[in-house]
Amino acid sequence: MRKRDLFILIGALIVALGMGLYIMLGQAAQTASWGLSYRTEGIAPQGPDSAGELAKYDAVYVGNTEEKIIYLTFDAGYENGCTAQILDALKKHNAPAAFFLVGNYMEKNPDLVRRMVSEGHIVGNHTMHHPDMQVVRDRATFASELNGLEELFTEITGQNLPKYYRPPQGNYSKNNLQMAKDLGYKTVFWSLAYVDWNNDSQPTAEQAYSKLLPRIHNGAIVLLHSTSKTNAAIMDDLLTKWEEMGYQFASLDDLFQQ
């Protein structure tokens, strides 16, 4: 190989490596973990991406901020003996909810899954194995996590899984959002949550109310964990308190039909 050709080849390799690094850095820059900034009590918080930006990917984190509507959602990676009590409270208040479940939960608790469906709740896709989805960049792997849960849900209920997706731990990328959209999913983040997932340090009822009451807002998509004993204990009273504040409960189906 002539020296000139060798220099051309080396230059091409440098450019290719540089482009590869640029693409990787670009992808990394687009990853995020969903978090909220509560600046004013009673007003919807700000998230890492705006409602308008999320809408490009059929994703939401808050509903219509002109309406006193609450959308209840629960995440569950396992059963902790609390879901039945939560379902009882939801039924008492005629409050629809969405339960985002993983494969392990469905496999071990098919009766609860069927109860959710029979009582009019949505079961959403929280992935089959609860991985960090923001590091998943190929479509086949991403799709397998969602498709696996769909198949399991159909085996248990005989129905098709509603096309609502919540990224585990709120970790996502724009690439993820686009892949979910391409699979027909709507991605659902949240505009109100609190630290309720640590079973070794459950909040008191007073601590829960101190977050969930003043921060509630029009169009709130509320994330609670159905593993929380505190949530189970306060659910009936919490729903009553929100109703007394003038709020009504609606389904994610209603949200996306607006």
Side-chain angles (χ1 to χ4, degrees):
M1 179 179 293
R2 292 180 301 175
K3 184 180 294 186
R4 180 174 177 275
D5 293 335
L6 180 60
F7 286 151
I8 291 174
L9 177 60
I10 292 172
L13 288 173
I14 291 173
V15 170
L17 289 171
M19 286 299 295
L21 180 60
Y22 174 81
I23 292 170
M24 289 176 63
L25 289 174
Q27 289 177 326
Q30 294 178 12
T31 62
S33 182
W34 190 256
L36 299 168
S37 174
Y38 295 96
R39 300 187 177 185
T40 305
E41 289 187 351
I43 302 297
Q46 294 183 344
D49 283 299
S50 68
E53 178 66 16
L54 291 176
K56 299 175 184 177
Y57 304 95
D58 289 345
V60 297
Y61 85 97
V62 67
N64 188 340
T65 55
E66 300 299 318
E67 298 180 341
K68 292 185 76 68
I69 301 293
I70 295 173
Y71 304 91
L72 298 169
T73 70
F74 296 86
D75 286 4
Y78 59 94
E79 176 54 33
N80 197 35
C82 303
T83 304
Q85 187 175 353
I86 290 172
L87 286 169
D88 289 343
L90 295 173
K91 186 175 183 178
K92 177 180 177 180
H93 291 264
N94 195 29
F99 288 83
F100 288 91
L101 307 179
V102 300
N104 176 68
Y105 187 100
M106 285 194 184
E107 290 170 346
K108 294 184 176 181
N109 305 280
D111 289 342
L112 282 173
V113 175
R114 284 189 283 264
R115 180 180 173 185
M116 292 169 188
V117 174
S118 69
E119 295 184 358
H121 302 298
I122 289 171
V123 173
N125 202 322
H126 205 34
T127 72
M128 189 67 182
H129 302 103
H130 203 266
D132 182 350
M133 294 294 275
Q134 70 178 328
V135 301
V136 177
R137 296 194 175 111
D138 66 285
R139 291 177 179 271
T141 302
F142 186 91
S144 69
E145 280 292 330
L146 275 61
N147 293 341
L149 197 83
E150 289 181 24
E151 295 170 2
L152 184 55
F153 179 80
T154 300
E155 289 177 13
I156 292 170
T157 67
Q159 300 183 22
N160 293 327
L161 183 75
K163 292 280 190 169
Y164 296 109
Y165 163 63
R166 174 164 286 162
Q169 301 177 335
N171 292 339
Y172 71 103
S173 69
K174 297 295 177 62
N175 189 39
N176 287 165
L177 298 181
Q178 185 61 54
M179 288 190 288
K181 181 180 179 180
D182 292 344
L183 290 169
Y185 275 89
K186 302 181 188 306
T187 301
V188 182
F189 291 103
W190 58 89
S191 61
L192 177 59
Y194 80 115
V195 182
D196 62 350
W197 59 85
N198 187 349
N199 288 326
D200 295 327
S201 182
Q202 278 288 287
T204 65
E206 291 72 21
Q207 289 171 330
Y209 289 140
S210 73
K211 300 296 184 183
L212 296 174
L213 296 180
R215 289 181 174 178
I216 196 65
H217 51 271
N218 291 0
I221 298 177
V222 180
L223 162 61
L224 300 170
H225 286 81
S226 59
T227 54
S228 167
K229 294 184 183 300
T230 297
N231 289 343
I234 70 171
M235 190 56 54
D236 183 13
D237 190 48
L238 175 63
L239 298 182
T240 298
K241 290 180 183 299
W242 278 336
E243 288 169 333
E244 291 173 347
M245 295 170 71
Y247 288 98
Q248 297 179 321
F249 308 108
S251 167
L252 291 181
D253 287 339
D254 300 318
L255 171 61
F256 282 97
Q257 288 173 3
Q258 293 180 350

